[in-house]
Amino acid sequence: METVLVVGSTGHIGVSAVMGATKSKRKVLAVVRNQESAQKLINAIGSAEGITLAYADITSDTGIREVVQRVKAGELPEFQHVYACAGGLYGPPPLQDLSLEELHKYMNVDFETNFFAYRETIRYLHEQDHWNSTWTLCVGSQGDLAFLPAPAMTQGALYSMATAAARDNEFTNVRFNEVYLNVRVEVDEVAAKNGTVPSSTFANVYEQLLSRPDIRSSRVRVDNVEDMKTLRWEKKF
């Protein structure tokens, strides 16, 4: 059975990725910071079945590298897919009030975490040479809207990273795609209170994407719930 490595697994989008992976009959290797985060994920999913936990600090440039090293050593299960949606900083400072320290923090948490994940896993997937490997990056529309400058700049950087990765992998065994999310998604319990889209509904996007070998080097755009039922995509370049 194939396994999906999920980076950013305990957030609203990460929970969706885990749900989508399990619904597609795949196992999950979820990267979590600590036991508290692990329990948060299990509570949101409702079960630990099919989920292996890997503890790491994804804000460190060695965090995911150590996870991959443990996989190679046989301490953790091999994986054929990666889903990255790390981040979570979403502050309001106007651009002119953003300090250098704050900018660095936003870039580390919302951008570098995903870059580290890509850098440390893509070579592993190439070496595995699994015919159906995928690498999926979830980004937000804030990069275009820019209502919140700091998060917007991190998403803009991720757009460029996704285009570069899509080019680099167009003719490899790894099918790279970017999921562009333009709606508010929250874990089911919170979504029910706030009237937002539940993680379990957004999970349909990843479940479908895993089974669509015709979609690669593309942006899968999600503007509404209908886009979660029928995928809408276009090539990144």
Side-chain angles (χ1 to χ4, degrees):
M1 183 180 290
E2 295 176 2
T3 296
V4 179
L5 174 70
V6 180
V7 181
S9 62
T10 60
H12 300 292
I13 309 304
V15 169
S16 290
V18 174
M19 288 179 171
T22 56
K23 287 170 66 178
S24 73
K25 309 303 181 185
R26 290 172 173 85
K27 293 185 178 181
V28 171
L29 176 56
V31 182
V32 297
R33 179 181 291 271
N34 50 40
Q35 184 60 46
E36 182 180 354
S37 296
Q39 192 57 54
K40 176 184 175 183
L41 172 63
I42 301 306
N43 290 344
I45 299 297
S47 170
E49 185 177 356
I51 301 174
T52 300
L53 301 172
Y55 294 92
D57 177 7
I58 63 173
T59 64
S60 166
D61 67 342
T62 62
I64 298 299
R65 181 185 307 164
E66 292 166 359
V67 171
V68 174
Q69 289 172 343
R70 292 182 62 197
V71 170
K72 290 181 176 180
E75 299 172 11
L76 292 170
E78 295 182 348
F79 58 91
Q80 297 75 38
H81 308 271
V82 178
Y83 190 105
C85 53
L89 286 185
Y90 211 66
L95 189 58
Q96 67 269 21
D97 294 334
L98 187 66
S99 70
L100 185 59
E101 181 181 2
E102 288 173 322
L103 176 61
H104 286 169
K105 184 177 181 179
Y106 274 95
M107 291 303 293
N108 174 242
V109 173
D110 289 354
F111 171 73
E112 290 180 354
T113 49
N114 296 288
F115 168 72
F116 296 153
Y118 178 81
R119 185 187 64 185
E120 302 303 333
T121 60
I122 193 64
R123 186 174 287 108
Y124 169 81
L125 293 181
H126 289 161
E127 292 170 350
Q128 294 298 101
D129 199 28
H130 187 271
W131 70 276
N132 191 36
S133 283
T134 65
W135 215 106
T136 305
L137 174 66
C138 187
V139 301
S141 60
Q142 190 61 222
D144 288 323
L145 300 175
F147 290 125
L148 301 173
M153 288 187 287
T154 67
Q155 297 308 293
L158 287 176
Y159 300 166
S160 298
M161 174 185 147
T163 302
R167 287 188 184 279
D168 286 349
N169 289 284
E170 188 174 15
F171 302 109
T172 72
N173 64 302
V174 181
R175 184 161 52 89
F176 183 97
N177 287 295
E178 172 199 81
V179 175
Y180 179 96
L181 182 60
N182 191 29
V183 294
R184 181 70 175 173
V185 172
E186 296 180 301
V187 294
D188 290 25
E189 183 179 356
V190 176
K193 297 177 182 177
N194 295 340
T196 52
V197 176
S199 291
S200 58
T201 300
F202 182 52
N204 296 335
V205 173
Y206 191 44
E207 180 185 10
Q208 292 180 68
L209 189 55
L210 283 167
S211 65
R212 292 291 301 273
D214 57 314
I215 305 177
R216 70 179 302 143
S217 299
S218 298
R219 166 175 282 185
V220 178
R221 189 175 179 106
V222 182
D223 290 317
N224 49 55
V225 173
E226 290 303 311
D227 290 337
M228 301 177 195
K229 299 175 183 177
T230 303
L231 298 185
R232 184 162 57 96
W233 79 97
E234 61 181 3
K235 294 282 285 189
K236 285 285 288 179
F237 49 87

